[in-house]
Amino acid sequence: ALVREVVARLAPARGGEVVSVTTEDEYFPPPPELRELLRGLGTTLGVLAASPRATAGHDPVADDRSTSAADVLESLAS
């Protein structure tokens, strides 16, 4: 949002061009405390809902490369 506001404020006469200099593939897994909390909540909710995934040892954070800490916190807030 900030970048869009700066570009709008500068209002380039000939428009702007998006240039990708580099593509980063950083990996920042959720902190262990949040991962454990999410696992506990997933198991508890699964047991309460009588979900077969809860009793099958389903790990809600097994694919943590696609789960950011922000995603975990957002799921806990909802």
Side-chain angles (χ1 to χ4, degrees):
L2 182 58
V3 172
R4 284 190 294 268
E5 290 178 28
V6 169
V7 171
R9 175 81 170 130
L10 294 175
R14 292 182 226 142
E17 178 183 348
V18 176
V19 178
S20 179
V21 177
T22 183
T23 302
E24 295 183 25
D25 187 23
E26 293 296 325
Y27 172 55
F28 299 103
E33 297 84 4
L34 286 176
R35 297 177 75 203
E36 288 303 315
L37 182 59
L38 187 60
R39 280 189 187 106
L41 286 173
T43 301
T44 302
L45 293 175
V47 168
L48 292 173
S51 169
R53 293 177 74 180
T55 57
H58 173 70
D59 185 359
V61 291
D63 184 21
D64 65 355
R65 281 200 173 272
S66 65
T67 306
S68 70
D71 292 338
V72 173
L73 289 172
E74 184 178 320
S75 71
L76 292 174
S78 58

